[in-house]
Amino acid sequence: MKRVEDFMTSIPDFPKEGIIFRDVTSVLESAEGLHLAIDELNKLLDGLDYDLIAGTESRGFIFGAPLAYMNNKGFIPVRKKGKLPRETVEMSYDLEYGSATIEIHKDSIKPGDKVVLVDDLIATGGTIQAAAKLIEQLGGEVVKMIFLIELVDLKGREVLKGYDIESVIQYEGE
């Protein structure tokens, strides 16, 4: 039986020498790979009490929306600044080379909502930490963070101490 890892393509020296890029699009391009990925992420939610799933732009949408559908939950998009039409709250955070700002609709999270955050990858943890802060700022509780891929050596879990974090695939190295 195949595993999600069997559909992952690793590209050496991209975007720079010494980095191995883990290309999730090779999983998405295969019906079997995509099905396995969604099913494995869904297993991480077994027995969890939650109200909503939030996913970060853009691959968090790809994995989060089908999970919300499968579990009869609402889906909250966490978008780049300027992409949402209603009143928003925003959070800026640092990237390796620069900074970024994400936002969510101010009325999408109600006080007491239990939220699962989903993304394709956890590396340094900056994006998902900013998303968690937005949810908490609106009175929501982040009850779990799930990822298809975890780059262990980049220590995103350390940035996200105190959160329940699970990933389907773990890779050592950058």
Side-chain angles (χ1 to χ4, degrees):
M1 183 172 175
K2 287 194 169 186
R3 302 173 309 150
V4 179
E5 297 94 304
D6 298 331
F7 295 92
M8 190 72 62
T9 301
S10 296
I11 302 164
D13 299 323
F14 183 84
K16 63 182 185 179
E17 193 171 331
I19 302 290
I20 300 174
F21 185 80
R22 309 301 180 171
D23 184 13
V24 73
T25 62
S26 58
V27 174
L28 301 175
E29 293 165 353
S30 162
E32 185 180 3
L34 178 57
H35 200 255
L36 280 169
I38 298 297
D39 285 349
E40 290 301 313
L41 285 164
N42 195 47
K43 288 177 188 176
L44 302 179
L45 300 176
D46 282 349
L48 185 66
D49 178 28
Y50 65 101
D51 304 303
L52 298 164
I53 292 180
T56 53
E57 188 168 350
S58 63
R59 290 178 299 262
F61 299 178
I62 294 169
F63 296 109
L67 289 169
Y69 174 82
M70 289 171 69
N71 293 288
N72 198 32
K73 304 294 182 183
F75 177 76
I76 308 300
V78 181
R79 303 256 2 226
K80 294 174 184 167
K81 184 177 172 73
K83 301 289 186 180
L84 293 171
R86 300 190 316 264
E87 187 177 359
T88 62
V89 291
E90 66 181 49
M91 179 75 53
S92 295
Y93 61 99
D94 291 327
L95 299 167
E96 188 176 354
Y97 301 105
S99 64
T101 302
I102 57 172
E103 58 187 11
I104 60 175
H105 283 128
K106 192 174 186 178
D107 61 356
S108 63
I109 306 289
K110 310 290 184 280
D113 280 346
K114 296 176 183 174
V115 182
V116 172
L117 269 167
V118 179
D119 206 353
D120 69 320
L121 173 78
I122 177 175
T124 62
T127 303
I128 209 79
Q129 181 185 46
K133 286 179 180 178
L134 284 175
I135 290 164
E136 292 163 353
Q137 179 181 330
L138 294 173
E141 176 189 0
V142 176
V143 294
K144 191 161 197 153
M145 296 174 172
I146 61 172
F147 306 92
L148 186 64
I149 304 163
E150 180 175 357
L151 302 179
V152 177
D153 290 359
L154 295 181
K155 303 186 186 318
R157 281 182 186 261
E158 291 179 16
V159 171
L160 302 168
K161 278 193 172 127
Y163 292 105
D164 181 3
I165 300 167
E166 286 193 78
S167 56
V168 174
I169 305 167
Q170 298 81 34
Y171 291 109
E172 301 291 332
E174 291 188 14

